[in-house]
Amino acid sequence: MKKKINLQLMSITALTIIVTLILVSAVFYELFKKQVFEDLRIYAYVLADEQEESIIQPSKEVCGDLRITLLDAEGKVYYDSNFPVNEMENHLQRPEVQDAFQYGEGSIVRKSDTLDRNNYYYAVLLKNGCVLRVAREADNVFSFLRMTFPTLMPVVAFLLLACVALSTISTKSLLRPIEEIARDIDTKEEIHSYEELDPLIKTIRQQHEDIVKNAQMRQEFTANVSHELKTPLTSIYGYSELIENGMASGEDQVRFAGEIHKNAQRLLTLINDIIELSELDSHVQRRAFEKVDLYDLAGACVEMLQVQAEKHDVGLTLEGQSCFIMANRQLIEEVLYNLCDNAIRYNNPGGKVAVRIEKKETKILLVVEDNGIGISEEHQNRIFERFYRVDKSRSKSTGGTGLGLAIVKHIASEHGAEISLESEIGKGTKITVSFSACTDV
Ligand code: ADP
């Protein structure tokens, strides 16, 4: 990257120098050309005045580096200071001569036989109808470039060196913070960078932290899953081995088969929850959202769990009114089931569970409140973590996997809903999920 920046800066500098050089040479050449024509014009008019009086035909020595040509009205050369007249062709078609006949004067630049030199011609129409042409050889634009190059070379070299030095320093300081963060992304120390780079550094750090946290969570999750699966599998293995070896009498056989059945059931529930969570994690298929009546769904759930509530001697009721939200029906059913199931399982005989659907400003609230065992403050923050249980044996004995609330949390966040928890040990628990109301209702 440094090399690339240096190279780019140097190319830009070199290009700028070359363009400047060409432009400066072109401007100087234009000025020079103007001056040469001005000189030739003055010579031509001085000579033209003299020509009015008498036909002076100055010799080559008198003309110096000037070439003087006299043409009659037909363009025939009848005097030239540099060449024998009889060898010269008719000049009527020469552009400067044409202009002189038409407008009184004309000028042109033609390439000389000598490299880097041009011939400059200036022609004027005399009063007697003849044309006087004055010409001289002088530098052209290439000779200007050739002349300026040696003078400018040291400047160019100095500028290029300065550019290399400057670009090295600036790329170094530009890349220093990036190199620092690449070297030690975990460091909590402040990296001295510039304002524009701060958000990028912040984002990179945040993402790195998230990745590390995610990796840790996955590792923990895998370890927990293995552990959770191991327990029922070990039971199944043990009981089936006893039956296989004929070590179970008739009555025991039924009991062992019951244990195997219970543990297999547990394995199934666990695997279902794990699949559910990993599907939520992977975001593979974006689930279809539709307008659903939360009160309707809660009604169906309450009805479904009535038998279980009676089994635990817990009263389960529903209050509220029709309230619509944009949601995935299946996921919301899962939220309702998990919350109500917990409220029944972590309750006392004779206890109560109230499910309420309320509208509060732009929000639709799902409240599941029980007067069960409650959760002490130190556990309240953690019960939404995967496999976190307050009372492990109670959770297991009632068919819990420790994943229910983790699934609820995931689904809520997928719906942009917020969860709040109020609980007091011995008094009960109230969990509120707040959804955005469906706007077209
Ligand atoms: P589980 O399958 O063990 O019920 P959850 O993720 O659903 O797992 O809940 C995590 C833990 O939170 C439970 O083990 C339980 O200790 C506690 N908990 C959840 N809901 C309630 C509730 N309504 N009352 C008391 N404790 C609860």
Side-chain angles (χ1 to χ4, degrees):
M1 188 177 174
K2 272 185 197 165
K3 257 191 195 161
K4 206 173 161 187
I5 296 175
N6 278 341
L7 213 74
Q8 275 177 354
L9 274 172
M10 276 167 65
S11 317
I12 291 170
T13 316
L15 196 75
T16 316
I17 291 168
I18 290 167
V19 170
T20 316
L21 207 70
I22 291 171
L23 283 178
V24 166
S25 299
V27 168
F28 274 117
Y29 174 64
E30 274 308 310
L31 284 173
F32 171 78
K33 208 163 88 177
K34 223 170 133 191
Q35 191 56 53
V36 170
F37 277 133
E38 186 58 26
D39 289 350
L40 288 176
R41 201 176 74 88
I42 292 168
Y43 283 131
Y45 278 108
V46 168
L47 282 167
D49 272 355
E50 285 172 12
Q51 296 298 327
E52 304 305 327
E53 309 301 326
S54 60
I55 311 291
I56 298 169
Q57 298 179 350
S59 66
K60 174 99 179 90
E61 290 73 42
V62 175
C63 295
D65 65 344
L66 279 185
R67 178 184 162 196
I68 293 163
T69 315
L70 278 166
L71 317 166
D72 66 12
E74 271 76 46
K76 188 172 171 297
V77 181
Y78 66 89
Y79 170 73
D80 192 285
S81 60
N82 289 24
F83 297 101
V85 174
N86 49 6
E87 285 174 18
M88 293 175 76
E89 57 176 23
N90 189 298
H91 274 33
L92 190 63
Q93 293 312 315
R94 303 279 164 105
E96 74 279 16
V97 177
Q98 292 252 315
D99 281 354
F101 277 126
Q102 209 173 341
Y103 308 112
E105 53 185 29
S107 60
I108 199 158
V109 182
R110 274 198 281 271
K111 252 195 85 57
S112 160
D113 294 336
T114 326
L115 197 76
D116 289 356
R117 302 282 279 176
N118 275 346
N119 284 323
Y120 298 79
Y121 296 92
Y122 204 92
V124 290
L125 183 66
L126 303 177
K127 278 188 187 144
N128 60 13
C130 295
V131 166
L132 166 70
R133 192 182 70 175
V134 186
R136 65 173 285 205
E137 204 182 45
D139 290 333
N140 67 8
V141 73
F142 297 108
S143 60
F144 263 81
L145 277 174
R146 203 161 44 82
M147 275 189 311
T148 43
F149 256 114
T151 332
L152 287 175
M153 258 349 228
V155 181
V156 171
F158 171 75
L159 280 177
L160 278 177
L161 277 176
C163 165
V164 172
L166 269 175
S167 71
T168 312
I169 293 169
S170 61
T171 43
K172 236 184 198 166
S173 73
L174 204 76
L175 297 178
R176 200 192 56 240
I178 299 174
E179 286 172 343
E180 257 178 58
I181 195 163
R183 241 192 332 267
D184 196 0
I185 202 162
D186 287 326
T187 182
K188 289 277 170 282
E189 276 169 39
E190 196 60 31
I191 287 180
H192 300 291
S193 70
Y194 18 84
E195 256 177 83
E196 293 83 351
L197 210 62
D198 283 347
L200 177 72
I201 293 176
K202 225 169 149 185
T203 313
I204 292 175
R205 275 197 170 152
Q206 187 60 51
Q207 280 179 354
H208 176 72
E209 270 173 34
D210 289 351
I211 290 169
V212 171
K213 221 155 100 189
N214 251 333
Q216 273 170 357
M217 260 170 63
R218 268 170 211 280
Q219 212 174 6
E220 252 171 55
F221 184 59
T222 318
N224 280 332
V225 165
S226 315
H227 180 76
E228 293 288 334
L229 293 177
K230 209 174 151 189
T231 323
L233 266 177
T234 314
S235 295
I236 292 171
Y237 180 82
Y239 287 123
S240 55
E241 197 180 29
L242 287 176
I243 298 171
E244 189 188 26
N245 294 340
M247 290 171 78
S249 61
E251 211 176 272
D252 282 344
Q253 262 189 25
V254 177
R255 194 165 59 85
F256 291 171
E259 284 299 325
I260 291 171
H261 182 250
K262 201 175 83 190
N263 280 296
Q265 179 72 48
R266 181 162 173 67
L267 269 180
L268 263 181
T269 322
L270 250 171
I271 288 165
N272 275 337
D273 277 0
I274 291 164
I275 290 172
E276 176 74 43
L277 257 179
S278 68
E279 266 177 17
L280 284 166
D281 275 342
S282 67
H283 300 283
V284 179
Q285 85 233 66
R286 177 97 182 88
R287 301 185 197 233
F289 275 37
E290 57 186 317
K291 200 167 107 183
V292 294
D293 186 349
L294 193 55
Y295 183 75
D296 258 9
L297 295 184
C301 177
V302 166
E303 208 180 307
M304 184 172 69
L305 285 171
Q306 232 20 284
V307 178
Q308 197 191 328
E310 276 165 27
K311 218 164 82 184
H312 284 81
D313 191 17
V314 170
L316 177 61
T317 54
L318 171 69
E319 296 160 32
Q321 60 191 36
S322 266
C323 287
F324 290 88
I325 57 168
M326 283 306 288
N328 178 279
R329 182 178 291 270
Q330 202 190 328
L331 295 183
I332 298 301
E333 280 170 356
E334 187 114 7
V335 169
L336 282 160
Y337 179 87
N338 285 346
L339 292 180
C340 296
D341 183 49
N342 280 352
I344 296 167
R345 286 192 295 123
Y346 302 106
N347 217 317
N348 304 310
K352 278 189 193 115
V353 175
V355 181
R356 286 196 301 277
I357 309 297
E358 298 168 6
K359 190 166 175 18
K360 195 175 174 196
E361 291 159 15
T362 57
K363 298 285 177 191
I364 305 293
L365 308 184
L366 156 67
V367 186
V368 180
E369 192 169 5
D370 64 70
N371 58 354
I373 61 172
I375 306 158
S376 66
E377 219 169 315
E378 81 240 47
H379 297 295
Q380 286 182 14
N381 281 338
R382 301 205 58 192
I383 55 163
F384 291 94
E385 288 173 19
R386 294 168 187 199
F387 294 117
Y388 191 85
R389 295 139 161 146
V390 180
D391 181 349
K392 210 164 184 164
S393 62
R394 181 165 185 150
S395 162
K396 281 191 176 172
S397 67
T398 52
T401 59
L403 293 174
L405 287 182
I407 292 174
V408 169
K409 187 179 158 190
H410 219 313
I411 295 174
S413 96
E414 200 155 302
H415 285 77
E418 277 164 28
I419 303 180
S420 64
L421 168 84
E422 287 165 49
S423 186
E424 208 177 312
I425 198 116
K427 289 211 168 151
T429 304
K430 178 180 165 188
I431 294 182
T432 309
V433 189
S434 139
F435 296 91
S436 294
C438 195
T439 43
D440 61 332
V441 180

